[in-house]
Amino acid sequence: MWKTILRRFLIMIPEVIILSLLVFLLAKAMPGDPFTGSINPKADPQQIKHLMRMNGLYDPWYQQYWNWVVHLFHGNLGNSYQYQEPVTRLIEGRAGNTLWLALFTMILTYVFALPMGVFAGRHEGKLPDTIIRVYTYVTYCIPFFVILVIGIWIFGYVLGWFPTTGSISSDASGWLHTVGSRFYHILLPGLLGALFSTVNIVQYLRSEVIDAKHSDYVRTARSKGVPNRDIYLHHIFRNSLLPIAAFAGYSITGLLNGSIFTETVFSYPGMGLLFVNSISYRDYTVITALVLIYGILNLLGTLLSDIILSIVDPRIRIE
Amino acid sequence: MAENFEQHSDISAADLARLSQEAQAEATPSTAKIIWSEFKADRPAMAALFIIVGFIVFVMVGALFINTPKMMETNIMAYFNQPFTPEFWLGADSGGRSVAKQLIVGSRNSIGIAIGLTIISSTFGICWGLISGYFNGYIDWGMQRVYDFMMMLPMTMMIIVLVTIIPHYNSVTLTFIFSIFYWEGTSRLIRSRTLAEAEKDYVAASRTSGTSHWKIIFREIMPNISSLIIVDCTLSFAENIGVETGLSYLGFGLPSQTPSLGTMISNANDPNNITQYWWTWLPAALEIIILCLAISYVGQVLRRAADASQRQGAAD
């Protein structure tokens, strides 16, 4: 067990190194220099050159990369040129928003998907199963950003049920009001995200239930006289719970990728929106930091899923 | 061959002809035939197929008759012209540009990119999956590490960064940038099927008789998983429509002077447009939804045709 986890960690190390190198080189290749916009436009080009030399921007790339990594380990990601603020503080303020939204979406996804999966498997081939299948199929193939735009149009603007921008209303005061307002702001994006990403869990759980229905332990339980409801809840469902839990790690990747769209549509001040804004301003310290953070979060998500799966399925460990 | 056969057996020529005719009747029908009978059995699928093909042909041909630079000129007189008027069937946007014409040219661009992306990324993914699955061992291990690494990259962010780095990009470079990141799904699917296929006896037999690896991979294994490939290409085509439009929506896809379904939907980013001037973005959004549903419906039918136990039209 521990050997598998250790090996996964060892594989991670070169991946992180290559990622950081790639991110660094891409940032170097981005057009423009960080100083032209931030100081007086009439500034002497000679002076800008001097600033760039002072900041080590004329050093060979490996020297710059090394400096960057050393700073990274000291928790120093540089300054944002657009906001004139340390990148760490800038991201700190927004990471919470993104992670809350992602967590909320994930919980809602499970809340919707688990009953649907069990229900579809239980009534295999009948009307409820067909309805759930059509539903997952429709939600799966429509591009997510189109759903977001139509969702905010109907529920945010036409019906006016939900706020359409921001993460908190400006007049929120007091602890309860603040939390309530935050929750109100993530409700619509969370609901849309959850309703439209159930497909994996539902399909997996459905086939798992169908398999289990004909297995020996279910037949034993049934012949003992266990009520049908309990068989599904305590026998079948519990057995497939762990592999389902493993999906959580993989879905982090999807949620983070989607956060760029969700936050743009809802003008929700998270890391995704920060990224889109920073790109327009060529604020490349922020861009490198965000790409790196997203990559590492993806990596940790996959690691989590792999570890859960290797606990569940010993065959993975041996491989 | 027949004469040679006669010399060594006592089956008469008439019998041989009859036997071979019987064998032909009993043989599995060709893939094309199976797919066609599956479509005939499923009316909605047939309708979906006609809608897709008809629509793609319509926008490809229609776009030829539209002068794009002239269409993109600002015309103050038609500022947010109402839809359903003789001159502007679907109204006009903030620049007085006809939404209907933009929709046709935009569909041509978006669908064209989706087709190109599907062809490039699927070809690459298929080759990757076949090679990785066939040469088990170190080659597979190495290729899997590259795959893991690509999966870890935040795709949307990487594409946006690459788009900003490349100075003069157009739809072709854009398609290539997308292709770098969208082959993983296909490659994993093909790899897992190839792993199973490479264990089979015909591969072992072919290898012992000295067939080269490449011939086994591309002439023997690939035809055997062709139905899977067809299904996967169709489904990823539906997904790929969302790729370019999504990035254009964010403002990092096609340049703003080149209409795309995504840039049209981004009209909805303006709170005034989204409610008051719904015609500037809603048609494009609905078009994407209908197209994606129709294409993946066709994909589902193809998947049924590929799996003998699920066929509906094979009975005739």
Side-chain angles (χ1 to χ4, degrees):
Chain A
M1 185 69 242
W2 290 109
K3 255 169 84 181
T4 322
I5 296 176
L6 187 72
R7 201 167 49 200
R8 278 296 276 106
F9 262 112
L10 289 181
I11 289 177
M12 251 177 78
I13 295 170
E15 281 185 342
V16 172
I17 294 174
I18 297 174
L19 173 73
S20 68
L21 200 60
L22 190 68
V23 165
F24 177 79
L25 291 178
L26 282 178
K28 281 284 130 202
M30 287 185 100
D33 64 80
F35 297 110
T36 312
S38 68
I39 45 180
N40 186 358
K42 290 188 189 115
D44 186 11
Q46 214 55 42
Q47 204 180 341
I48 293 177
K49 264 192 183 149
H50 178 68
L51 260 175
M52 285 178 66
R53 186 163 298 124
M54 291 291 284
N55 280 278
L57 288 171
Y58 286 126
D59 290 347
W61 68 269
Y62 48 86
Q63 184 72 43
Q64 289 189 39
Y65 173 69
W66 181 246
N67 291 341
W68 182 68
V69 170
V70 170
H71 281 306
L72 210 63
F73 275 104
H74 287 107
N76 178 8
L77 290 162
N79 269 319
S80 153
Y81 300 108
Q82 181 198 351
Y83 296 93
Q84 294 298 332
E85 219 185 315
V87 174
T88 30
R89 202 182 310 149
L90 199 63
I91 289 175
E92 246 171 44
R94 285 163 172 80
N97 285 340
T98 301
L99 295 179
W100 276 124
L101 180 58
L103 191 69
F104 180 65
T105 313
M106 203 190 294
I107 291 170
L108 274 186
T109 311
Y110 277 95
V111 168
F112 292 133
L114 294 182
M116 271 198 279
V118 176
F119 200 68
R122 186 169 169 181
H123 301 280
E124 182 200 354
K126 295 192 194 118
L127 187 66
D129 182 29
T130 318
I131 293 173
I132 291 175
R133 238 190 16 233
V134 170
Y135 161 74
T136 51
Y137 150 75
V138 168
T139 53
Y140 171 70
C141 53
I142 300 175
F144 187 47
F145 80 99
V146 179
I147 295 303
L148 289 171
V149 172
I150 289 189
I152 198 177
W153 175 54
I154 295 176
F155 299 107
Y157 286 102
V158 176
L159 297 173
W161 292 351
F162 296 97
T164 51
T165 73
S167 68
I168 187 165
S169 54
S170 49
D171 58 343
S173 60
W175 183 81
L176 197 70
H177 197 172
T178 314
V179 172
S181 170
R182 278 190 185 279
F183 181 71
Y184 189 39
H185 279 79
I186 60 174
L187 199 55
L188 182 58
L191 273 173
L192 289 174
L195 283 173
F196 284 82
S197 56
T198 52
V199 61
N200 283 328
I201 301 175
V202 170
Q203 276 184 355
Y204 183 84
L205 199 56
R206 176 179 174 272
S207 62
E208 197 82 340
V209 168
I210 291 171
D211 279 350
K213 261 202 309 203
H214 308 291
S215 63
D216 288 340
Y217 75 92
V218 170
R219 203 178 324 141
T220 314
R222 205 161 267 156
S223 53
K224 276 195 309 189
V226 180
N228 213 1
R229 198 187 130 80
D230 287 356
I231 291 180
Y232 279 98
L233 268 182
H234 298 302
H235 295 239
I236 296 180
F237 183 56
R238 186 176 286 180
N239 250 340
S240 30
L241 205 57
L242 259 182
I244 289 286
F247 277 67
Y250 294 129
S251 71
I252 288 177
T253 320
L255 282 171
L256 286 179
N257 242 326
S259 76
I260 297 177
F261 292 100
T262 318
E263 289 170 9
T264 311
V265 173
F266 285 89
S267 317
Y268 180 83
M271 293 194 283
L273 190 62
L274 179 66
F275 177 79
V276 173
N277 287 338
S278 307
I279 283 276
S280 334
Y281 286 99
R282 301 282 185 269
D283 194 351
Y284 71 73
T285 41
V286 182
I287 296 166
T288 34
L290 282 173
V291 177
L292 202 63
I293 288 173
Y294 271 49
I296 289 173
L297 284 177
N298 281 349
L299 202 61
L300 291 178
T302 331
L303 181 74
L304 180 74
S305 289
D306 285 355
I307 290 176
I308 296 177
L309 279 179
S310 74
I311 294 171
V312 180
D313 191 347
R315 280 173 300 181
I316 296 174
R317 258 179 275 165
I318 296 163
E319 196 199 325
Chain B
M1 180 72 197
E3 298 117 43
N4 199 5
F5 189 73
E6 256 170 73
Q7 282 168 13
H8 298 285
S9 78
D10 36 323
I11 301 176
S12 70
D15 270 347
L16 190 67
R18 184 179 54 81
L19 280 173
S20 60
Q21 216 168 26
E22 275 176 17
Q24 212 147 44
E26 277 177 23
T28 343
S30 70
T31 318
K33 231 180 206 167
I34 293 174
I35 292 174
W36 182 241
S37 69
E38 196 61 34
F39 272 109
K40 272 200 297 197
D42 192 341
R43 286 286 161 90
M46 194 76 119
L49 188 68
F50 275 113
I51 289 175
I52 298 165
V53 174
F55 185 76
I56 292 179
V57 171
F58 170 70
V59 295
M60 294 283 169
V61 176
L64 293 178
F65 292 100
I66 294 173
N67 183 349
T68 312
K70 190 159 176 287
M71 177 188 83
M72 295 308 284
E73 274 170 17
T74 318
N75 174 9
I76 296 295
M77 298 308 286
Y79 175 79
F80 284 127
N81 206 317
Q82 291 287 323
F84 312 121
T85 50
E87 206 182 336
F88 296 98
W89 317 321
L90 285 172
D93 66 3
S94 61
R97 299 177 282 243
S98 160
V99 172
K101 281 185 190 166
Q102 279 191 63
L103 205 60
I104 292 175
V105 179
S107 307
R108 196 262 321 259
N109 293 340
S110 293
I111 292 174
I113 289 182
I115 292 176
L117 172 57
T118 311
I119 291 172
I120 298 173
S121 66
S122 292
T123 312
F124 189 71
I126 290 164
C127 293
W128 187 278
L130 281 170
I131 293 170
S132 175
Y134 178 80
F135 296 109
N136 229 325
Y138 283 114
I139 296 179
D140 183 38
W141 190 86
M143 289 173 94
Q144 281 301 299
R145 294 291 79 77
V146 176
Y147 168 86
D148 284 348
F149 180 75
M150 293 300 287
M151 286 302 283
M152 176 194 73
L153 291 179
M155 253 196 280
T156 317
M157 283 185 165
M158 293 304 280
I159 293 174
I160 293 175
V161 169
L162 281 178
V163 167
T164 47
I165 287 176
I166 291 175
H168 299 289
Y169 65 89
N170 51 22
S171 41
V172 179
T173 30
L174 204 60
T175 313
F176 275 104
I177 293 176
F178 293 152
S179 308
I180 302 174
F181 296 96
Y182 280 92
W183 52 269
E184 288 103 341
T186 310
S187 88
R188 192 170 72 174
L189 191 74
I190 300 292
R191 174 180 172 265
S192 63
R193 256 307 266 286
T194 312
L195 276 176
E197 205 72 17
E199 299 281 304
K200 288 192 177 165
D201 285 343
Y202 75 90
V203 176
S206 190
R207 209 179 290 168
T208 40
S209 57
T211 320
S212 76
H213 288 310
W214 303 112
K215 202 172 169 192
I216 294 179
I217 292 175
F218 291 105
R219 299 288 298 279
E220 290 169 5
I221 293 180
M222 198 165 84
N224 271 319
I225 58 172
S226 61
S227 56
L228 184 78
I229 292 175
I230 295 172
V231 174
D232 183 66
C233 285
T234 321
L235 292 178
S236 49
F237 176 44
E239 259 174 69
N240 289 343
I241 288 182
V243 174
E244 181 272 328
T245 50
L247 279 146
S248 296
Y249 168 78
L250 289 178
F252 302 111
L254 286 172
S256 56
Q257 279 306 303
T258 318
S260 138
L261 294 177
T263 36
M264 294 188 72
I265 296 178
S266 72
N267 281 330
N269 280 345
D270 185 335
N272 280 329
N273 280 355
I274 198 169
T275 45
Q276 266 181 292
Y277 310 118
W278 51 269
W279 60 85
T280 52
W281 64 275
L282 194 59
L286 292 179
E287 189 197 314
I288 290 185
I289 292 179
I290 293 170
L291 258 185
C292 287
L293 283 176
I295 294 170
S296 36
Y297 192 70
V298 168
Q300 298 293 331
V301 176
L302 290 176
R303 175 181 286 170
R304 275 208 315 262
D307 182 353
S309 64
Q310 294 181 358
R311 269 176 219 153
Q312 295 179 348
D316 54 337

